[in-house]
Amino acid sequence: MIGIVLKEMPLGEADKLLKVFSREEGLITVVAKGAKKSGSRFLAAASVFAYSDMELVKGKSMYVLKNAKLIESFYGLREDLDVLTAAAELGKITLKVIQEDLQDEETLRLLLKGLHFLEQRKRRPSLIKAVFAIRLLWIQGMISSIERMNPGEASRLKPGTKAAYDYICTAEEDKLFAFKLSEEVEQELCNHADSLCKTILG
């Protein structure tokens, strides 16, 4: 099963409990035995943002990790505090919307793309987070297009911000981050995305 670790928690003295966003089954809970030990073969794969091909055994309420082949560690996210903070927000937002045992490949692709862009540092972390959040809420059916937005809310946004919002909702996946904004519009878009997340996700 291929998936990315969104959260890790200690379990006893040596083990970890992982929240994994899997390609095949959505959010799953995985026990990684011995993963806290310094010489553990699961040390890399049982870390937050580790994207791996995992061999799992299903128990009564969760999976047990038997083997893992690391595909991408996203280690570069840890080299910049602002980037790491934004990545953590992407993971936090994702955890709030995905469901246990429900496949959601589109959201997984979006998360991986967002993490890659953060790691490459070609856009400000705050903008990548905003684009990710708006697109995710759109995918999940939690927000509407500009045309269906509350008139009062829409009237408060600059034309450039409305255009960017609409682009983010409807652009092809490969072109999602392929645009440039003025600093003024970028800031308003980021503020709007933060407001949406607080209102909808709490």
Side-chain angles (χ1 to χ4, degrees):
M1 191 177 297
I2 294 176
I4 184 169
V5 178
L6 295 183
K7 188 176 183 179
E8 59 175 290
M9 297 158 283
L11 184 64
E13 295 183 0
D15 305 338
K16 284 184 180 181
L17 193 65
L18 311 174
K19 288 293 184 180
V20 176
F21 185 11
S22 71
R23 186 177 66 188
E24 295 85 353
E25 296 190 30
L27 185 64
I28 59 174
T29 302
V30 177
V31 175
K33 294 184 177 180
K36 288 171 63 179
K37 296 180 180 178
S38 59
S40 172
R41 61 195 176 102
F42 297 142
L43 194 63
S47 299
V48 172
F49 303 130
Y51 183 53
S52 307
D53 188 350
M54 301 177 174
E55 181 183 341
L56 304 171
V57 175
K58 191 168 186 177
K60 291 182 179 180
S61 60
M62 60 190 71
Y63 291 86
V64 177
L65 183 62
K66 289 298 182 182
N67 204 358
K69 182 179 180 181
L70 189 66
I71 299 171
E72 177 61 66
S73 69
F74 289 106
Y75 187 81
L77 297 172
R78 296 165 174 80
E79 297 175 353
D80 183 293
L81 182 57
D82 289 339
V83 168
L84 182 59
T85 300
E89 284 296 310
L90 264 60
K92 182 179 177 181
I93 294 169
T94 301
L95 275 171
K96 287 187 175 183
V97 302
I98 59 175
Q99 300 180 43
E100 295 273 358
D101 304 320
L102 183 64
Q103 190 180 49
D104 190 350
E105 287 194 51
E106 188 174 6
T107 294
L108 179 58
R109 290 195 303 269
L110 175 63
L111 174 62
L112 294 172
K113 187 177 291 291
L115 294 176
H116 276 299
F117 267 85
L118 282 172
E119 197 170 42
Q120 291 168 6
R121 294 169 175 76
K122 293 183 178 180
R123 296 285 190 277
R124 289 189 181 94
S126 56
L127 177 59
I128 294 173
K129 186 181 79 170
V131 172
F132 173 84
I134 292 171
R135 180 69 167 217
L136 179 60
L137 294 175
W138 169 265
I139 290 172
Q140 299 295 329
M142 295 177 176
I143 58 174
S144 59
S145 63
I146 287 293
E147 290 78 11
R148 296 184 178 181
M149 187 182 288
N150 180 288
E153 181 183 7
S155 66
R156 291 193 294 269
L157 299 177
K158 294 178 174 61
T161 308
K162 293 179 185 178
Y165 175 97
D166 203 43
Y167 178 88
I168 293 166
C169 291
T170 60
E172 296 178 11
E173 287 185 3
D174 291 342
K175 299 179 180 179
L176 182 57
F177 293 91
F179 63 90
K180 293 184 179 180
L181 303 173
S182 68
E183 288 191 14
E184 188 177 23
V185 168
E186 181 177 324
Q187 185 60 57
E188 185 175 63
L189 184 71
C190 291
N191 291 341
H192 185 61
D194 285 342
S195 178
L196 286 172
C197 287
K198 289 177 182 176
T199 300
I200 297 171
L201 303 177

